[in-house]
Amino acid sequence: FGSWYRAAHQQTVWSTCAQGSCITQASMPLPVAIKGSGPRCVWAPQVWWGDADAVLRLAHWQQQRDEEGLPRITHVCNACANVVRVRQKDRVPNVQYLDLPMLDVPNITRKDYFWPKTERDLHKAVAFVEKAVHDGGI
């Protein structure tokens, strides 16, 4: 027999048992963000920091900013795009996105395997944020 079920915060898991042996296939956790408190200002008034919820529910946070009389967010630098994936159809219109699949690498040094990519991505992120600030974006 075969069965389908959904595990907490995971994609569908499929299991089958035949003649005393079982095969189970499970996939990675869903990219479901815990509902947060939204973007937080880190460099007034233009640079805001957000978590996965802030980027995945940006349309919600934009609406809340409208209600509070705050300017709309115009740029999103998603530095964990390898985990927090924002599909094209889910992107907020008139917002520029930069997706960087960066990794947290504790104690990274210039000799580390990940250094060149991390350094390149950091330069891209800084340039993106600097241009957004220079152009009056949020």
Side-chain angles (χ1 to χ4, degrees):
F1 66 94
S3 62
W4 291 91
Y5 59 95
R6 186 171 290 283
H9 297 303
Q10 290 189 342
Q11 293 177 347
T12 303
V13 176
W14 186 74
S15 177
T16 185
C17 293
Q19 299 177 357
S21 64
C22 293
I23 299 171
T24 301
Q25 291 180 322
S27 51
M28 297 299 292
L30 285 172
V32 176
I34 297 171
K35 291 190 178 177
S37 57
R40 297 174 304 279
C41 187
V42 293
W43 184 27
Q46 293 176 283
V47 180
W48 294 69
W49 182 264
D51 57 11
D53 174 69
V55 71
L56 292 173
R57 294 193 315 133
L58 183 58
H60 164 79
W61 298 115
Q62 293 285 56
Q63 181 179 355
Q64 186 168 343
R65 291 175 69 84
D66 289 344
E67 292 169 5
E68 294 173 6
L70 294 171
R72 294 185 136 241
I73 291 172
T74 59
H75 295 73
V76 170
C77 179
N78 181 4
C80 57
N82 51 329
V83 177
V84 181
R85 293 184 178 104
V86 184
R87 298 176 299 189
Q88 284 300 126
K89 70 177 191 163
D90 295 329
R91 293 180 183 233
V92 176
N94 302 316
V95 173
Q96 293 180 36
Y97 289 80
L98 174 64
D99 294 309
L100 298 170
M102 297 180 70
L103 300 173
D104 287 336
V105 183
N107 304 316
I108 191 172
T109 67
R110 289 185 180 275
K111 295 179 183 179
D112 193 286
Y113 173 80
F114 293 105
W115 181 270
K117 184 179 180 322
T118 301
E119 184 177 38
R120 183 195 72 218
D121 287 350
L122 284 171
H123 285 290
K124 284 182 180 180
V126 168
F128 180 79
V129 172
E130 284 179 342
K131 182 167 180 2
V133 169
H134 180 267
D135 293 347
I138 304 286

